[in-house]
Amino acid sequence: MRAALLSGLGLSLLLAGLPALAASVTLPHDDAMPVDLYNQRQDKPEQVLFEIQEYRVVVASEQRPGAAAGSTQANGFLLLQGRTLLPGSPVQRAEVRFVASGAALPPARLDARRQTLMLVYPESLLPVLLQQLNSPGAEYVQARFYGNGLVWGDIHSAPQTPQP
């Protein structure tokens, strides 16, 4: 009886520990992720990861046919392109659009037709991103799409050592 109780207790402890084991999924560039305070990153996400090799800044305006006079829209965006760091991943491009600060930001998404990651950031971050892209060292684009709906998208640099 005691052996059965201990065996049952051991099995219960093992099963209780399985979610913790599942939460320890590690992926390339985990070091660019903040701490998962709400324990939302439990499964292995679909990941996009590439090293930026070139970028373009585009500033454009558009007037749609039949639209009211004065309804021209203008915006700016970055086109990032590079080489994937994940075997089998076709995504090697990102389009980064900028919206007015305080506007709602849609989550990162994949445009499967163009094999392009779409990111949206506040326009106040454009100078920061340009400075980052022009600084020495490698730059990366990453996105993670978790099964529970959590979406993460970033542009990050390789670890840097400050110059004295």
Coordinates of all heavy atoms in Angstrom, one line a residue, residues 57-116:
V57 N 14.7 53.3 -47.1 CA 13.7 54.2 -46.5 C 12.8 54.7 -47.7 O 13.3 55.1 -48.7 CB 14.3 55.4 -45.8 CG1 13.3 56.3 -45.3 CG2 15.3 54.9 -44.7
V58 N 11.5 54.6 -47.5 CA 10.5 55.1 -48.5 C 9.6 56.1 -47.9 O 9.0 55.8 -46.8 CB 9.7 53.9 -49.1 CG1 8.7 54.4 -50.1 CG2 10.6 52.8 -49.7
V59 N 9.5 57.2 -48.5 CA 8.6 58.3 -48.0 C 7.7 58.5 -49.2 O 8.1 58.7 -50.3 CB 9.3 59.6 -47.6 CG1 8.2 60.6 -47.2 CG2 10.2 59.3 -46.5
A60 N 6.3 58.3 -49.1 CA 5.4 58.3 -50.2 C 4.2 59.1 -49.9 O 3.8 59.2 -48.7 CB 5.1 56.9 -50.6
S61 N 3.5 59.5 -50.9 CA 2.1 60.0 -50.8 C 1.2 59.3 -51.8 O 1.7 58.8 -52.9 CB 2.1 61.5 -51.0 OG 2.5 61.8 -52.3
E62 N -0.1 59.3 -51.5 CA -1.0 58.6 -52.4 C -2.3 59.4 -52.5 O -2.9 59.7 -51.4 CB -1.2 57.2 -51.9 CG -2.2 56.4 -52.7 CD -2.4 55.0 -52.2 OE1 -2.9 54.8 -51.1 OE2 -2.0 54.0 -52.9
Q63 N -2.8 59.6 -53.7 CA -4.1 60.2 -53.9 C -4.9 59.2 -54.7 O -4.5 58.8 -55.8 CB -4.0 61.5 -54.7 CG -5.3 62.1 -55.1 CD -6.1 62.7 -54.0 OE1 -5.5 63.3 -53.1 NE2 -7.4 62.4 -53.9
R64 N -6.0 58.8 -54.1 CA -6.8 57.7 -54.7 C -7.8 58.4 -55.7 O -8.3 59.5 -55.5 CB -7.6 57.0 -53.6 CG -6.7 56.2 -52.8 CD -7.4 55.2 -51.9 NE -6.4 54.5 -51.0 CZ -6.3 54.6 -49.7 NH1 -7.1 55.4 -49.1 NH2 -5.4 53.9 -49.1
P65 N -8.0 57.7 -56.8 CA -9.0 58.2 -57.8 C -10.4 58.4 -57.2 O -10.8 57.5 -56.5 CB -9.0 57.2 -58.9 CG -7.9 56.2 -58.6 CD -7.5 56.4 -57.2
G66 N -11.0 59.5 -57.5 CA -12.3 59.7 -57.0 C -12.4 60.2 -55.5 O -13.5 60.5 -55.0
A67 N -11.3 60.3 -54.9 CA -11.3 60.7 -53.5 C -11.4 62.2 -53.4 O -11.1 62.9 -54.4 CB -10.0 60.3 -52.8
A68 N -11.9 62.7 -52.3 CA -12.1 64.1 -52.1 C -10.8 64.9 -52.2 O -9.7 64.3 -51.8 CB -12.8 64.4 -50.8
A69 N -10.8 66.1 -52.7 CA -9.6 66.9 -52.8 C -9.0 67.1 -51.4 O -9.7 67.2 -50.4 CB -9.9 68.2 -53.4
G70 N -7.7 67.0 -51.3 CA -7.1 67.2 -50.0 C -7.0 65.9 -49.2 O -6.7 66.0 -48.0
S71 N -7.4 64.8 -49.8 CA -7.4 63.5 -49.0 C -6.1 62.7 -49.3 O -6.1 61.5 -49.1 CB -8.6 62.7 -49.2 OG -8.7 62.3 -50.6
T72 N -5.1 63.4 -49.8 CA -3.9 62.6 -50.1 C -3.3 62.1 -48.8 O -3.3 62.8 -47.8 CB -2.8 63.6 -50.8 OG1 -3.4 64.1 -52.0 CG2 -1.5 62.9 -51.1
Q73 N -2.8 60.9 -48.8 CA -2.2 60.2 -47.7 C -0.7 60.2 -47.9 O -0.3 59.9 -49.0 CB -2.8 58.8 -47.4 CG -4.3 58.8 -47.1 CD -4.7 57.4 -46.8 OE1 -4.1 56.4 -47.3 NE2 -5.8 57.3 -46.1
A74 N 0.0 60.4 -46.8 CA 1.5 60.3 -46.9 C 1.9 59.5 -45.7 O 1.4 59.5 -44.6 CB 2.1 61.7 -46.8
N75 N 3.0 58.7 -46.0 CA 3.6 57.9 -44.9 C 5.0 57.5 -45.3 O 5.5 57.8 -46.4 CB 2.7 56.6 -44.6 CG 2.6 55.7 -45.8 OD1 3.5 55.6 -46.6 ND2 1.5 55.0 -45.8
G76 N 5.7 57.0 -44.3 CA 7.0 56.5 -44.5 C 7.2 55.1 -44.0 O 6.4 54.7 -43.1
F77 N 8.1 54.3 -44.6 CA 8.3 53.0 -44.2 C 9.7 52.5 -44.5 O 10.4 53.2 -45.3 CB 7.3 52.0 -44.7 CG 7.1 51.9 -46.1 CD1 7.7 51.0 -46.9 CD2 6.2 52.8 -46.8 CE1 7.5 50.9 -48.3 CE2 6.0 52.7 -48.1 CZ 6.6 51.8 -48.9
L78 N 10.2 51.5 -43.8 CA 11.4 50.9 -44.0 C 11.2 49.6 -44.7 O 10.3 48.8 -44.3 CB 12.2 50.6 -42.7 CG 12.8 51.8 -42.0 CD1 13.3 51.3 -40.6 CD2 13.9 52.5 -42.8
L79 N 12.0 49.2 -45.7 CA 12.0 47.9 -46.3 C 13.4 47.3 -45.9 O 14.4 47.8 -46.1 CB 11.9 48.0 -47.8 CG 10.6 48.6 -48.3 CD1 10.7 48.7 -49.8 CD2 9.5 47.7 -48.0
L80 N 13.3 46.2 -45.1 CA 14.5 45.5 -44.6 C 14.6 44.2 -45.4 O 13.6 43.5 -45.5 CB 14.4 45.2 -43.1 CG 14.0 46.5 -42.3 CD1 13.8 46.0 -40.8 CD2 15.2 47.5 -42.3
Q81 N 15.8 43.8 -45.8 CA 16.0 42.5 -46.4 C 17.3 41.9 -45.9 O 18.2 42.6 -45.6 CB 16.1 42.7 -47.9 CG 16.0 41.4 -48.7 CD 15.5 41.7 -50.1 OE1 14.8 42.6 -50.4 NE2 15.9 40.8 -51.0
G82 N 17.3 40.6 -45.9 CA 18.5 39.9 -45.4 C 18.6 38.5 -45.7 O 17.9 38.0 -46.7
R83 N 19.2 37.7 -44.8 CA 19.3 36.3 -45.0 C 18.8 35.6 -43.8 O 19.0 36.0 -42.6 CB 20.8 35.8 -45.2 CG 21.7 36.1 -44.1 CD 23.1 35.6 -44.3 NE 23.9 35.8 -43.2 CZ 24.0 34.9 -42.1 NH1 23.4 33.8 -42.2 NH2 24.8 35.2 -41.1
T84 N 17.9 34.6 -44.0 CA 17.3 33.9 -42.9 C 18.3 33.2 -42.1 O 19.3 32.7 -42.6 CB 16.2 33.0 -43.5 OG1 15.5 32.4 -42.3 CG2 16.8 31.8 -44.3
L85 N 18.0 33.1 -40.8 CA 18.9 32.3 -39.9 C 18.2 31.0 -39.5 O 18.7 30.3 -38.6 CB 19.2 33.2 -38.7 CG 19.9 34.5 -39.0 CD1 20.1 35.3 -37.7 CD2 21.3 34.2 -39.7
L86 N 17.0 30.7 -40.1 CA 16.3 29.5 -39.7 C 16.2 28.6 -41.0 O 15.6 29.1 -42.0 CB 14.9 29.9 -39.2 CG 14.8 30.8 -38.0 CD1 13.4 31.2 -37.7 CD2 15.5 30.1 -36.8
P87 N 16.7 27.4 -40.9 CA 16.6 26.5 -42.1 C 15.1 26.3 -42.5 O 14.2 26.1 -41.7 CB 17.2 25.2 -41.6 CG 18.0 25.5 -40.4 CD 17.3 26.8 -39.8
G88 N 14.9 26.5 -43.8 CA 13.6 26.3 -44.4 C 12.7 27.5 -44.3 O 11.6 27.5 -44.8
S89 N 13.1 28.6 -43.7 CA 12.2 29.8 -43.6 C 12.4 30.6 -44.8 O 13.5 31.1 -45.1 CB 12.6 30.6 -42.3 OG 11.8 31.8 -42.3
P90 N 11.3 30.9 -45.5 CA 11.4 31.7 -46.7 C 11.4 33.2 -46.5 O 11.6 34.0 -47.4 CB 10.2 31.3 -47.5 CG 9.2 30.9 -46.5 CD 9.9 30.3 -45.3
V91 N 11.1 33.6 -45.2 CA 10.9 35.0 -45.0 C 12.2 35.7 -44.7 O 13.0 35.3 -43.8 CB 10.0 35.2 -43.7 CG1 9.8 36.7 -43.5 CG2 8.6 34.6 -44.0
Q92 N 12.6 36.6 -45.6 CA 13.8 37.3 -45.6 C 13.6 38.8 -45.8 O 14.6 39.6 -46.0 CB 14.8 36.8 -46.6 CG 15.1 35.3 -46.5 CD 16.0 34.8 -47.6 OE1 16.8 35.5 -48.1 NE2 15.8 33.6 -48.0
R93 N 12.4 39.2 -45.6 CA 12.0 40.7 -45.8 C 11.1 41.1 -44.8 O 10.3 40.3 -44.3 CB 11.3 40.9 -47.2 CG 12.2 40.6 -48.4 CD 11.3 40.7 -49.7 NE 10.3 41.7 -49.7 CZ 10.3 42.8 -50.3 NH1 11.4 43.2 -50.9 NH2 9.3 43.7 -50.2
A94 N 11.2 42.4 -44.4 CA 10.2 43.0 -43.5 C 9.9 44.4 -44.0 O 10.7 45.1 -44.6 CB 10.8 43.1 -42.1
E95 N 8.6 44.7 -43.9 CA 8.2 46.1 -44.2 C 7.7 46.7 -42.9 O 6.9 46.2 -42.2 CB 7.0 46.0 -45.2 CG 6.5 47.3 -45.6 CD 5.4 47.2 -46.7 OE1 5.7 46.6 -47.7 OE2 4.3 47.7 -46.4
V96 N 8.4 47.8 -42.5 CA 8.1 48.4 -41.2 C 7.4 49.7 -41.5 O 8.0 50.6 -42.1 CB 9.4 48.7 -40.4 CG1 9.1 49.3 -39.1 CG2 10.3 47.4 -40.3
R97 N 6.2 49.8 -41.1 CA 5.4 51.0 -41.3 C 5.3 51.8 -40.0 O 5.4 51.2 -38.9 CB 4.0 50.7 -41.7 CG 4.0 50.0 -43.1 CD 2.7 50.3 -43.8 NE 2.8 49.7 -45.2 CZ 3.0 50.5 -46.2 NH1 3.1 51.8 -46.1 NH2 3.1 49.9 -47.4
F98 N 5.1 53.1 -40.1 CA 5.1 54.0 -39.0 C 3.8 54.7 -38.9 O 3.3 55.2 -39.9 CB 6.3 55.0 -39.0 CG 7.6 54.3 -39.0 CD1 8.2 53.9 -40.2 CD2 8.2 53.9 -37.8 CE1 9.4 53.2 -40.1 CE2 9.4 53.3 -37.8 CZ 10.0 52.9 -38.9
V99 N 3.2 54.8 -37.7 CA 2.0 55.5 -37.5 C 2.2 56.5 -36.4 O 3.2 56.5 -35.7 CB 0.8 54.5 -37.0 CG1 0.6 53.5 -38.1 CG2 1.2 53.8 -35.7
A100 N 1.3 57.5 -36.3 CA 1.4 58.6 -35.4 C 1.5 58.0 -33.9 O 0.8 57.0 -33.6 CB 0.1 59.5 -35.5
S101 N 2.3 58.6 -33.1 CA 2.4 58.2 -31.7 C 1.1 58.2 -31.1 O 0.3 59.2 -31.2 CB 3.4 59.0 -31.0 OG 4.7 58.9 -31.6
G102 N 0.8 57.2 -30.3 CA -0.5 57.1 -29.6 C -1.6 56.3 -30.4 O -2.6 56.0 -29.8
A103 N -1.3 56.1 -31.7 CA -2.3 55.3 -32.5 C -2.2 53.9 -32.1 O -1.1 53.4 -31.7 CB -2.0 55.5 -34.0
A104 N -3.3 53.1 -32.3 CA -3.3 51.7 -32.1 C -2.3 51.0 -33.0 O -2.2 51.3 -34.2 CB -4.7 51.1 -32.2
L105 N -1.5 50.1 -32.5 CA -0.5 49.4 -33.2 C -1.0 47.9 -33.5 O -1.2 47.2 -32.6 CB 0.8 49.3 -32.5 CG 1.5 50.6 -32.2 CD1 2.8 50.3 -31.3 CD2 1.8 51.3 -33.4
P106 N -1.2 47.6 -34.8 CA -1.6 46.2 -35.1 C -0.4 45.3 -34.8 O 0.8 45.7 -34.8 CB -1.9 46.2 -36.5 CG -1.2 47.4 -37.1 CD -1.1 48.4 -36.0
P107 N -0.6 44.0 -34.5 CA 0.5 43.1 -34.2 C 1.3 42.8 -35.5 O 0.8 43.0 -36.6 CB -0.2 41.8 -33.7 CG -1.6 41.9 -34.3 CD -1.9 43.4 -34.4
A108 N 2.5 42.2 -35.3 CA 3.2 41.8 -36.5 C 2.4 40.7 -37.2 O 1.6 40.0 -36.6 CB 4.6 41.2 -36.0
R109 N 2.6 40.6 -38.5 CA 1.9 39.6 -39.3 C 2.7 39.2 -40.5 O 3.6 40.0 -40.9 CB 0.5 40.1 -39.7 CG 0.5 41.2 -40.7 CD -1.0 41.5 -41.2 NE -0.9 42.6 -42.1 CZ -0.7 42.5 -43.4 NH1 -0.5 41.3 -44.0 NH2 -0.7 43.5 -44.2
L110 N 2.4 38.1 -41.0 CA 3.1 37.6 -42.2 C 2.2 37.8 -43.4 O 1.1 37.5 -43.4 CB 3.4 36.1 -42.1 CG 4.6 35.7 -41.2 CD1 4.7 34.2 -41.0 CD2 5.9 36.3 -41.7
D111 N 2.8 38.4 -44.4 CA 2.1 38.5 -45.7 C 2.7 37.3 -46.5 O 3.8 37.4 -47.1 CB 2.5 39.8 -46.4 CG 1.8 39.9 -47.8 OD1 1.5 38.9 -48.4 OD2 1.6 41.1 -48.2
A112 N 2.0 36.2 -46.5 CA 2.4 34.9 -47.1 C 2.7 35.1 -48.6 O 3.6 34.5 -49.2 CB 1.5 33.8 -46.8
R113 N 1.8 35.8 -49.3 CA 2.0 36.0 -50.7 C 3.3 36.6 -51.1 O 4.0 36.2 -52.0 CB 0.8 36.8 -51.3 CG 0.8 37.0 -52.8 CD -0.3 37.9 -53.3 NE -0.4 39.2 -52.7 CZ 0.4 40.3 -53.0 NH1 1.3 40.1 -54.0 NH2 0.3 41.4 -52.4
R114 N 3.7 37.6 -50.3 CA 5.0 38.3 -50.6 C 6.1 37.8 -49.7 O 7.3 38.3 -49.9 CB 4.8 39.8 -50.3 CG 3.9 40.5 -51.3 CD 3.7 42.0 -51.0 NE 4.6 42.5 -50.0 CZ 4.4 43.6 -49.4 NH1 3.3 44.3 -49.6 NH2 5.3 44.1 -48.5
Q115 N 5.8 36.8 -48.9 CA 6.8 36.3 -47.9 C 7.6 37.4 -47.2 O 8.8 37.5 -47.2 CB 7.8 35.3 -48.6 CG 7.1 34.1 -49.2 CD 8.1 33.2 -49.8 OE1 9.2 33.5 -50.3 NE2 7.7 31.9 -49.9
T116 N 6.7 38.3 -46.6 CA 7.2 39.5 -46.0 C 6.6 39.6 -44.6 O 5.4 39.4 -44.4 CB 6.9 40.7 -46.8 OG1 7.5 40.6 -48.1 CG2 7.4 42.0 -46.2

